[in-house]
Amino acid sequence: DKSIFLINIGKNDGIKQEDKIDIFQKYTETNPLTGKVETHTRLVTKATVSDRIEDGKAWVVVQDQNLSTAIKLGDIAKITYTK
């Protein structure tokens, strides 16, 4: 099953249909050696841009339903550039 999500990247950012998007989450943890709180980023899943693209937003499709349930409001979407 597929899921769709709205992201805040759109035509004004150069996004196009079928572009690949990585979706990340930030999380914090306490370093057991230093006792300091550190912020990290982890990849949640990948998505593909749909044909629904506006100036400042676009809809993306996540293929894996299990991974899509981990996406939360405020996660970070980044365009994946390949050579």
PDB file of all heavy atoms in Angstrom, residues 6-41:
ATOM      1  N   LEU A   6       2.096  15.722   2.469  1.00  0.00           N
ATOM      2  CA  LEU A   6       2.333  17.070   1.976  1.00  0.00           C
ATOM      3  C   LEU A   6       3.646  17.573   2.554  1.00  0.00           C
ATOM      4  O   LEU A   6       3.874  17.474   3.769  1.00  0.00           O
ATOM      5  CB  LEU A   6       1.189  17.992   2.411  1.00  0.00           C
ATOM      6  CG  LEU A   6       1.245  19.428   1.926  1.00  0.00           C
ATOM      7  CD1 LEU A   6       1.145  19.499   0.406  1.00  0.00           C
ATOM      8  CD2 LEU A   6       0.128  20.236   2.566  1.00  0.00           C
ATOM      9  N   ILE A   7       4.530  18.091   1.681  1.00  0.00           N
ATOM     10  CA  ILE A   7       5.800  18.652   2.143  1.00  0.00           C
ATOM     11  C   ILE A   7       5.875  20.123   1.761  1.00  0.00           C
ATOM     12  O   ILE A   7       5.175  20.574   0.842  1.00  0.00           O
ATOM     13  CB  ILE A   7       7.016  17.878   1.575  1.00  0.00           C
ATOM     14  CG1 ILE A   7       7.057  17.957   0.052  1.00  0.00           C
ATOM     15  CG2 ILE A   7       6.997  16.431   2.062  1.00  0.00           C
ATOM     16  CD1 ILE A   7       8.327  17.401  -0.569  1.00  0.00           C
ATOM     17  N   ASN A   8       6.719  20.868   2.443  1.00  0.00           N
ATOM     18  CA  ASN A   8       6.868  22.303   2.191  1.00  0.00           C
ATOM     19  C   ASN A   8       8.006  22.596   1.226  1.00  0.00           C
ATOM     20  O   ASN A   8       8.804  23.505   1.454  1.00  0.00           O
ATOM     21  CB  ASN A   8       7.089  23.052   3.508  1.00  0.00           C
ATOM     22  CG  ASN A   8       5.867  23.011   4.389  1.00  0.00           C
ATOM     23  OD1 ASN A   8       4.756  22.912   3.908  1.00  0.00           O
ATOM     24  ND2 ASN A   8       6.074  23.068   5.678  1.00  0.00           N
ATOM     25  N   ILE A   9       8.093  21.826   0.169  1.00  0.00           N
ATOM     26  CA  ILE A   9       9.026  22.061  -0.929  1.00  0.00           C
ATOM     27  C   ILE A   9       8.169  22.053  -2.184  1.00  0.00           C
ATOM     28  O   ILE A   9       7.344  21.150  -2.354  1.00  0.00           O
ATOM     29  CB  ILE A   9      10.105  20.957  -1.024  1.00  0.00           C
ATOM     30  CG1 ILE A   9      10.887  20.828   0.281  1.00  0.00           C
ATOM     31  CG2 ILE A   9      11.050  21.230  -2.188  1.00  0.00           C
ATOM     32  CD1 ILE A   9      11.840  19.643   0.299  1.00  0.00           C
ATOM     33  N   GLY A  10       8.344  23.048  -3.047  1.00  0.00           N
ATOM     34  CA  GLY A  10       7.498  23.117  -4.233  1.00  0.00           C
ATOM     35  C   GLY A  10       8.225  23.620  -5.462  1.00  0.00           C
ATOM     36  O   GLY A  10       9.458  23.593  -5.532  1.00  0.00           O
ATOM     37  N   LYS A  11       7.448  24.099  -6.435  1.00  0.00           N
ATOM     38  CA  LYS A  11       8.007  24.593  -7.700  1.00  0.00           C
ATOM     39  C   LYS A  11       9.070  25.657  -7.471  1.00  0.00           C
ATOM     40  O   LYS A  11      10.083  25.696  -8.167  1.00  0.00           O
ATOM     41  CB  LYS A  11       6.902  25.182  -8.572  1.00  0.00           C
ATOM     42  CG  LYS A  11       5.995  24.173  -9.198  1.00  0.00           C
ATOM     43  CD  LYS A  11       4.938  24.869 -10.046  1.00  0.00           C
ATOM     44  CE  LYS A  11       3.885  23.885 -10.490  1.00  0.00           C
ATOM     45  NZ  LYS A  11       2.784  24.546 -11.209  1.00  0.00           N
ATOM     46  N   ASN A  12       8.835  26.537  -6.499  1.00  0.00           N
ATOM     47  CA  ASN A  12       9.805  27.610  -6.222  1.00  0.00           C
ATOM     48  C   ASN A  12      11.159  27.069  -5.760  1.00  0.00           C
ATOM     49  O   ASN A  12      12.161  27.768  -5.830  1.00  0.00           O
ATOM     50  CB  ASN A  12       9.261  28.572  -5.168  1.00  0.00           C
ATOM     51  CG  ASN A  12       8.059  29.354  -5.663  1.00  0.00           C
ATOM     52  OD1 ASN A  12       7.774  29.413  -6.853  1.00  0.00           O
ATOM     53  ND2 ASN A  12       7.331  29.942  -4.737  1.00  0.00           N
ATOM     54  N   ASP A  13      11.176  25.840  -5.298  1.00  0.00           N
ATOM     55  CA  ASP A  13      12.409  25.205  -4.833  1.00  0.00           C
ATOM     56  C   ASP A  13      13.026  24.310  -5.913  1.00  0.00           C
ATOM     57  O   ASP A  13      14.036  23.653  -5.665  1.00  0.00           O
ATOM     58  CB  ASP A  13      12.132  24.378  -3.577  1.00  0.00           C
ATOM     59  CG  ASP A  13      11.502  25.219  -2.480  1.00  0.00           C
ATOM     60  OD1 ASP A  13      12.168  26.157  -2.011  1.00  0.00           O
ATOM     61  OD2 ASP A  13      10.340  24.952  -2.115  1.00  0.00           O
ATOM     62  N   GLY A  14      12.383  24.250  -7.080  1.00  0.00           N
ATOM     63  CA  GLY A  14      12.911  23.464  -8.184  1.00  0.00           C
ATOM     64  C   GLY A  14      12.477  22.014  -8.198  1.00  0.00           C
ATOM     65  O   GLY A  14      13.012  21.208  -8.960  1.00  0.00           O
ATOM     66  N   ILE A  15      11.503  21.665  -7.373  1.00  0.00           N
ATOM     67  CA  ILE A  15      11.059  20.272  -7.312  1.00  0.00           C
ATOM     68  C   ILE A  15      10.255  19.913  -8.561  1.00  0.00           C
ATOM     69  O   ILE A  15       9.549  20.752  -9.115  1.00  0.00           O
ATOM     70  CB  ILE A  15      10.241  20.032  -6.024  1.00  0.00           C
ATOM     71  CG1 ILE A  15      10.251  18.569  -5.647  1.00  0.00           C
ATOM     72  CG2 ILE A  15       8.839  20.539  -6.145  1.00  0.00           C
ATOM     73  CD1 ILE A  15       9.718  18.309  -4.263  1.00  0.00           C
ATOM     74  N   LYS A  16      10.379  18.645  -8.979  1.00  0.00           N
ATOM     75  CA  LYS A  16       9.668  18.168 -10.165  1.00  0.00           C
ATOM     76  C   LYS A  16       9.036  16.803  -9.879  1.00  0.00           C
ATOM     77  O   LYS A  16       9.473  16.083  -8.982  1.00  0.00           O
ATOM     78  CB  LYS A  16      10.637  18.026 -11.338  1.00  0.00           C
ATOM     79  CG  LYS A  16      11.279  19.320 -11.783  1.00  0.00           C
ATOM     80  CD  LYS A  16      12.215  19.038 -12.945  1.00  0.00           C
ATOM     81  CE  LYS A  16      13.468  19.842 -12.947  1.00  0.00           C
ATOM     82  NZ  LYS A  16      14.353  19.757 -11.852  1.00  0.00           N
ATOM     83  N   GLN A  17       8.037  16.475 -10.680  1.00  0.00           N
ATOM     84  CA  GLN A  17       7.391  15.166 -10.559  1.00  0.00           C
ATOM     85  C   GLN A  17       8.439  14.074 -10.714  1.00  0.00           C
ATOM     86  O   GLN A  17       9.342  14.179 -11.528  1.00  0.00           O
ATOM     87  CB  GLN A  17       6.313  15.008 -11.628  1.00  0.00           C
ATOM     88  CG  GLN A  17       5.535  13.727 -11.494  1.00  0.00           C
ATOM     89  CD  GLN A  17       4.414  13.627 -12.527  1.00  0.00           C
ATOM     90  OE1 GLN A  17       4.130  14.557 -13.249  1.00  0.00           O
ATOM     91  NE2 GLN A  17       3.773  12.473 -12.575  1.00  0.00           N
ATOM     92  N   GLU A  18       8.315  13.047  -9.894  1.00  0.00           N
ATOM     93  CA  GLU A  18       9.212  11.888  -9.869  1.00  0.00           C
ATOM     94  C   GLU A  18      10.544  12.146  -9.162  1.00  0.00           C
ATOM     95  O   GLU A  18      11.368  11.241  -9.074  1.00  0.00           O
ATOM     96  CB  GLU A  18       9.467  11.308 -11.267  1.00  0.00           C
ATOM     97  CG  GLU A  18       8.219  10.804 -11.960  1.00  0.00           C
ATOM     98  CD  GLU A  18       7.491   9.685 -11.214  1.00  0.00           C
ATOM     99  OE1 GLU A  18       8.169   8.799 -10.656  1.00  0.00           O
ATOM    100  OE2 GLU A  18       6.255   9.707 -11.185  1.00  0.00           O
ATOM    101  N   ASP A  19      10.791  13.379  -8.664  1.00  0.00           N
ATOM    102  CA  ASP A  19      11.991  13.613  -7.854  1.00  0.00           C
ATOM    103  C   ASP A  19      11.935  12.706  -6.634  1.00  0.00           C
ATOM    104  O   ASP A  19      10.851  12.385  -6.125  1.00  0.00           O
ATOM    105  CB  ASP A  19      12.091  15.071  -7.390  1.00  0.00           C
ATOM    106  CG  ASP A  19      12.681  15.999  -8.430  1.00  0.00           C
ATOM    107  OD1 ASP A  19      13.115  15.505  -9.498  1.00  0.00           O
ATOM    108  OD2 ASP A  19      12.700  17.215  -8.176  1.00  0.00           O
ATOM    109  N   LYS A  20      13.097  12.313  -6.175  1.00  0.00           N
ATOM    110  CA  LYS A  20      13.195  11.463  -4.986  1.00  0.00           C
ATOM    111  C   LYS A  20      13.413  12.353  -3.760  1.00  0.00           C
ATOM    112  O   LYS A  20      14.195  13.308  -3.805  1.00  0.00           O
ATOM    113  CB  LYS A  20      14.338  10.461  -5.123  1.00  0.00           C
ATOM    114  CG  LYS A  20      14.218   9.573  -6.348  1.00  0.00           C
ATOM    115  CD  LYS A  20      12.926   8.794  -6.359  1.00  0.00           C
ATOM    116  CE  LYS A  20      12.826   7.931  -7.604  1.00  0.00           C
ATOM    117  NZ  LYS A  20      11.468   7.565  -7.932  1.00  0.00           N
ATOM    118  N   ILE A  21      12.735  12.022  -2.681  1.00  0.00           N
ATOM    119  CA  ILE A  21      12.786  12.791  -1.437  1.00  0.00           C
ATOM    120  C   ILE A  21      13.197  11.852  -0.299  1.00  0.00           C
ATOM    121  O   ILE A  21      12.675  10.749  -0.185  1.00  0.00           O
ATOM    122  CB  ILE A  21      11.402  13.396  -1.111  1.00  0.00           C
ATOM    123  CG1 ILE A  21      10.899  14.283  -2.251  1.00  0.00           C
ATOM    124  CG2 ILE A  21      11.424  14.147   0.208  1.00  0.00           C
ATOM    125  CD1 ILE A  21      11.690  15.547  -2.460  1.00  0.00           C
ATOM    126  N   ASP A  22      14.128  12.322   0.533  1.00  0.00           N
ATOM    127  CA  ASP A  22      14.462  11.617   1.771  1.00  0.00           C
ATOM    128  C   ASP A  22      13.728  12.311   2.913  1.00  0.00           C
ATOM    129  O   ASP A  22      13.707  13.541   2.981  1.00  0.00           O
ATOM    130  CB  ASP A  22      15.966  11.656   2.039  1.00  0.00           C
ATOM    131  CG  ASP A  22      16.763  10.791   1.079  1.00  0.00           C
ATOM    132  OD1 ASP A  22      16.204   9.821   0.537  1.00  0.00           O
ATOM    133  OD2 ASP A  22      17.944  11.084   0.882  1.00  0.00           O
ATOM    134  N   ILE A  23      13.148  11.533   3.795  1.00  0.00           N
ATOM    135  CA  ILE A  23      12.435  12.088   4.945  1.00  0.00           C
ATOM    136  C   ILE A  23      13.194  11.693   6.209  1.00  0.00           C
ATOM    137  O   ILE A  23      13.438  10.519   6.459  1.00  0.00           O
ATOM    138  CB  ILE A  23      10.983  11.597   4.992  1.00  0.00           C
ATOM    139  CG1 ILE A  23      10.272  12.035   3.702  1.00  0.00           C
ATOM    140  CG2 ILE A  23      10.272  12.122   6.236  1.00  0.00           C
ATOM    141  CD1 ILE A  23       8.875  11.528   3.550  1.00  0.00           C
ATOM    142  N   PHE A  24      13.588  12.721   6.974  1.00  0.00           N
ATOM    143  CA  PHE A  24      14.405  12.548   8.167  1.00  0.00           C
ATOM    144  C   PHE A  24      13.656  12.981   9.414  1.00  0.00           C
ATOM    145  O   PHE A  24      12.764  13.815   9.350  1.00  0.00           O
ATOM    146  CB  PHE A  24      15.678  13.413   8.076  1.00  0.00           C
ATOM    147  CG  PHE A  24      16.596  13.051   6.951  1.00  0.00           C
ATOM    148  CD1 PHE A  24      16.496  13.683   5.721  1.00  0.00           C
ATOM    149  CD2 PHE A  24      17.577  12.089   7.123  1.00  0.00           C
ATOM    150  CE1 PHE A  24      17.351  13.363   4.680  1.00  0.00           C
ATOM    151  CE2 PHE A  24      18.445  11.766   6.093  1.00  0.00           C
ATOM    152  CZ  PHE A  24      18.330  12.403   4.862  1.00  0.00           C
ATOM    153  N   GLN A  25      14.076  12.431  10.550  1.00  0.00           N
ATOM    154  CA  GLN A  25      13.605  12.887  11.858  1.00  0.00           C
ATOM    155  C   GLN A  25      14.803  13.285  12.693  1.00  0.00           C
ATOM    156  O   GLN A  25      15.855  12.644  12.625  1.00  0.00           O
ATOM    157  CB  GLN A  25      12.866  11.764  12.598  1.00  0.00           C
ATOM    158  CG  GLN A  25      11.507  11.503  12.088  1.00  0.00           C
ATOM    159  CD  GLN A  25      10.822  10.350  12.831  1.00  0.00           C
ATOM    160  OE1 GLN A  25      11.443   9.601  13.562  1.00  0.00           O
ATOM    161  NE2 GLN A  25       9.526  10.226  12.598  1.00  0.00           N
ATOM    162  N   LYS A  26      14.614  14.341  13.473  1.00  0.00           N
ATOM    163  CA  LYS A  26      15.630  14.722  14.455  1.00  0.00           C
ATOM    164  C   LYS A  26      15.254  14.081  15.784  1.00  0.00           C
ATOM    165  O   LYS A  26      14.080  13.950  16.113  1.00  0.00           O
ATOM    166  CB  LYS A  26      15.685  16.239  14.619  1.00  0.00           C
ATOM    167  CG  LYS A  26      16.388  16.933  13.487  1.00  0.00           C
ATOM    168  CD  LYS A  26      16.603  18.392  13.808  1.00  0.00           C
ATOM    169  CE  LYS A  26      17.390  19.045  12.699  1.00  0.00           C
ATOM    170  NZ  LYS A  26      17.675  20.438  12.990  1.00  0.00           N
ATOM    171  N   TYR A  27      16.274  13.687  16.520  1.00  0.00           N
ATOM    172  CA  TYR A  27      16.030  13.138  17.852  1.00  0.00           C
ATOM    173  C   TYR A  27      17.197  13.528  18.753  1.00  0.00           C
ATOM    174  O   TYR A  27      18.276  13.859  18.277  1.00  0.00           O
ATOM    175  CB  TYR A  27      15.842  11.614  17.809  1.00  0.00           C
ATOM    176  CG  TYR A  27      17.072  10.839  17.400  1.00  0.00           C
ATOM    177  CD1 TYR A  27      17.898  10.261  18.352  1.00  0.00           C
ATOM    178  CD2 TYR A  27      17.423  10.704  16.065  1.00  0.00           C
ATOM    179  CE1 TYR A  27      19.033   9.548  17.989  1.00  0.00           C
ATOM    180  CE2 TYR A  27      18.553  10.000  15.684  1.00  0.00           C
ATOM    181  CZ  TYR A  27      19.353   9.424  16.645  1.00  0.00           C
ATOM    182  OH  TYR A  27      20.478   8.734  16.278  1.00  0.00           O
ATOM    183  N   THR A  28      16.956  13.520  20.031  1.00  0.00           N
ATOM    184  CA  THR A  28      18.009  13.859  20.988  1.00  0.00           C
ATOM    185  C   THR A  28      18.272  12.664  21.886  1.00  0.00           C
ATOM    186  O   THR A  28      17.385  11.836  22.122  1.00  0.00           O
ATOM    187  CB  THR A  28      17.618  15.073  21.859  1.00  0.00           C
ATOM    188  OG1 THR A  28      16.411  14.778  22.540  1.00  0.00           O
ATOM    189  CG2 THR A  28      17.447  16.324  21.020  1.00  0.00           C
ATOM    190  N   GLU A  29      19.502  12.598  22.355  1.00  0.00           N
ATOM    191  CA  GLU A  29      19.878  11.575  23.323  1.00  0.00           C
ATOM    192  C   GLU A  29      20.999  12.124  24.187  1.00  0.00           C
ATOM    193  O   GLU A  29      21.723  13.027  23.772  1.00  0.00           O
ATOM    194  CB  GLU A  29      20.293  10.275  22.642  1.00  0.00           C
ATOM    195  CG  GLU A  29      21.541  10.380  21.792  1.00  0.00           C
ATOM    196  CD  GLU A  29      21.887   9.064  21.111  1.00  0.00           C
ATOM    197  OE1 GLU A  29      21.092   8.112  21.166  1.00  0.00           O
ATOM    198  OE2 GLU A  29      22.961   8.997  20.510  1.00  0.00           O
ATOM    199  N   THR A  30      21.124  11.594  25.354  1.00  0.00           N
ATOM    200  CA  THR A  30      22.182  12.012  26.265  1.00  0.00           C
ATOM    201  C   THR A  30      23.396  11.117  26.063  1.00  0.00           C
ATOM    202  O   THR A  30      23.286   9.887  26.145  1.00  0.00           O
ATOM    203  CB  THR A  30      21.701  11.948  27.724  1.00  0.00           C
ATOM    204  OG1 THR A  30      20.540  12.775  27.861  1.00  0.00           O
ATOM    205  CG2 THR A  30      22.779  12.439  28.674  1.00  0.00           C
ATOM    206  N   ASN A  31      24.526  11.730  25.794  1.00  0.00           N
ATOM    207  CA  ASN A  31      25.770  10.987  25.622  1.00  0.00           C
ATOM    208  C   ASN A  31      26.169  10.431  26.984  1.00  0.00           C
ATOM    209  O   ASN A  31      26.386  11.191  27.932  1.00  0.00           O
ATOM    210  CB  ASN A  31      26.852  11.913  25.068  1.00  0.00           C
ATOM    211  CG  ASN A  31      28.153  11.202  24.798  1.00  0.00           C
ATOM    212  OD1 ASN A  31      28.603  10.368  25.582  1.00  0.00           O
ATOM    213  ND2 ASN A  31      28.774  11.552  23.692  1.00  0.00           N
ATOM    214  N   PRO A  32      26.286   9.114  27.112  1.00  0.00           N
ATOM    215  CA  PRO A  32      26.584   8.525  28.422  1.00  0.00           C
ATOM    216  C   PRO A  32      27.998   8.853  28.922  1.00  0.00           C
ATOM    217  O   PRO A  32      28.250   8.802  30.126  1.00  0.00           O
ATOM    218  CB  PRO A  32      26.411   7.026  28.196  1.00  0.00           C
ATOM    219  CG  PRO A  32      26.532   6.829  26.734  1.00  0.00           C
ATOM    220  CD  PRO A  32      26.093   8.101  26.084  1.00  0.00           C
ATOM    221  N   LEU A  33      28.891   9.215  28.014  1.00  0.00           N
ATOM    222  CA  LEU A  33      30.261   9.543  28.429  1.00  0.00           C
ATOM    223  C   LEU A  33      30.399  10.978  28.901  1.00  0.00           C
ATOM    224  O   LEU A  33      31.114  11.259  29.859  1.00  0.00           O
ATOM    225  CB  LEU A  33      31.235   9.291  27.270  1.00  0.00           C
ATOM    226  CG  LEU A  33      31.300   7.843  26.775  1.00  0.00           C
ATOM    227  CD1 LEU A  33      32.205   7.737  25.567  1.00  0.00           C
ATOM    228  CD2 LEU A  33      31.772   6.927  27.889  1.00  0.00           C
ATOM    229  N   THR A  34      29.696  11.906  28.214  1.00  0.00           N
ATOM    230  CA  THR A  34      29.848  13.322  28.541  1.00  0.00           C
ATOM    231  C   THR A  34      28.673  13.877  29.335  1.00  0.00           C
ATOM    232  O   THR A  34      28.787  14.928  29.952  1.00  0.00           O
ATOM    233  CB  THR A  34      29.995  14.152  27.258  1.00  0.00           C
ATOM    234  OG1 THR A  34      28.774  14.070  26.505  1.00  0.00           O
ATOM    235  CG2 THR A  34      31.160  13.683  26.413  1.00  0.00           C
ATOM    236  N   GLY A  35      27.524  13.194  29.283  1.00  0.00           N
ATOM    237  CA  GLY A  35      26.332  13.702  29.955  1.00  0.00           C
ATOM    238  C   GLY A  35      25.639  14.801  29.184  1.00  0.00           C
ATOM    239  O   GLY A  35      24.619  15.325  29.618  1.00  0.00           O
ATOM    240  N   LYS A  36      26.170  15.170  28.006  1.00  0.00           N
ATOM    241  CA  LYS A  36      25.581  16.235  27.199  1.00  0.00           C
ATOM    242  C   LYS A  36      24.472  15.680  26.310  1.00  0.00           C
ATOM    243  O   LYS A  36      24.544  14.554  25.834  1.00  0.00           O
ATOM    244  CB  LYS A  36      26.642  16.899  26.326  1.00  0.00           C
ATOM    245  CG  LYS A  36      27.669  17.660  27.124  1.00  0.00           C
ATOM    246  CD  LYS A  36      28.639  18.374  26.207  1.00  0.00           C
ATOM    247  CE  LYS A  36      29.643  19.157  27.042  1.00  0.00           C
ATOM    248  NZ  LYS A  36      30.591  19.879  26.207  1.00  0.00           N
ATOM    249  N   VAL A  37      23.457  16.524  26.088  1.00  0.00           N
ATOM    250  CA  VAL A  37      22.365  16.166  25.187  1.00  0.00           C
ATOM    251  C   VAL A  37      22.813  16.485  23.762  1.00  0.00           C
ATOM    252  O   VAL A  37      23.274  17.590  23.484  1.00  0.00           O
ATOM    253  CB  VAL A  37      21.079  16.931  25.531  1.00  0.00           C
ATOM    254  CG1 VAL A  37      19.983  16.622  24.528  1.00  0.00           C
ATOM    255  CG2 VAL A  37      20.625  16.586  26.949  1.00  0.00           C
ATOM    256  N   GLU A  38      22.703  15.498  22.879  1.00  0.00           N
ATOM    257  CA  GLU A  38      23.116  15.650  21.483  1.00  0.00           C
ATOM    258  C   GLU A  38      21.911  15.471  20.576  1.00  0.00           C
ATOM    259  O   GLU A  38      21.026  14.663  20.855  1.00  0.00           O
ATOM    260  CB  GLU A  38      24.187  14.607  21.131  1.00  0.00           C
ATOM    261  CG  GLU A  38      25.437  14.731  21.977  1.00  0.00           C
ATOM    262  CD  GLU A  38      26.437  13.618  21.717  1.00  0.00           C
ATOM    263  OE1 GLU A  38      26.084  12.612  21.060  1.00  0.00           O
ATOM    264  OE2 GLU A  38      27.580  13.751  22.187  1.00  0.00           O
ATOM    265  N   THR A  39      21.874  16.231  19.494  1.00  0.00           N
ATOM    266  CA  THR A  39      20.810  16.120  18.507  1.00  0.00           C
ATOM    267  C   THR A  39      21.352  15.393  17.286  1.00  0.00           C
ATOM    268  O   THR A  39      22.429  15.719  16.791  1.00  0.00           O
ATOM    269  CB  THR A  39      20.292  17.511  18.106  1.00  0.00           C
ATOM    270  OG1 THR A  39      19.807  18.175  19.278  1.00  0.00           O
ATOM    271  CG2 THR A  39      19.174  17.410  17.089  1.00  0.00           C
ATOM    272  N   HIS A  40      20.597  14.416  16.814  1.00  0.00           N
ATOM    273  CA  HIS A  40      20.988  13.619  15.655  1.00  0.00           C
ATOM    274  C   HIS A  40      19.839  13.609  14.647  1.00  0.00           C
ATOM    275  O   HIS A  40      18.703  13.932  14.980  1.00  0.00           O
ATOM    276  CB  HIS A  40      21.298  12.179  16.066  1.00  0.00           C
ATOM    277  CG  HIS A  40      22.373  12.070  17.093  1.00  0.00           C
ATOM    278  ND1 HIS A  40      23.706  12.184  16.797  1.00  0.00           N
ATOM    279  CD2 HIS A  40      22.304  11.871  18.432  1.00  0.00           C
ATOM    280  CE1 HIS A  40      24.415  12.056  17.898  1.00  0.00           C
ATOM    281  NE2 HIS A  40      23.586  11.863  18.914  1.00  0.00           N
ATOM    282  N   THR A  41      20.145  13.189  13.436  1.00  0.00           N
ATOM    283  CA  THR A  41      19.148  13.052  12.380  1.00  0.00           C
ATOM    284  C   THR A  41      19.218  11.634  11.831  1.00  0.00           C
ATOM    285  O   THR A  41      20.304  11.116  11.606  1.00  0.00           O
ATOM    286  CB  THR A  41      19.424  14.054  11.245  1.00  0.00           C
ATOM    287  OG1 THR A  41      19.504  15.374  11.794  1.00  0.00           O
ATOM    288  CG2 THR A  41      18.331  14.031  10.210  1.00  0.00           C
TER     289      THR A  41
END
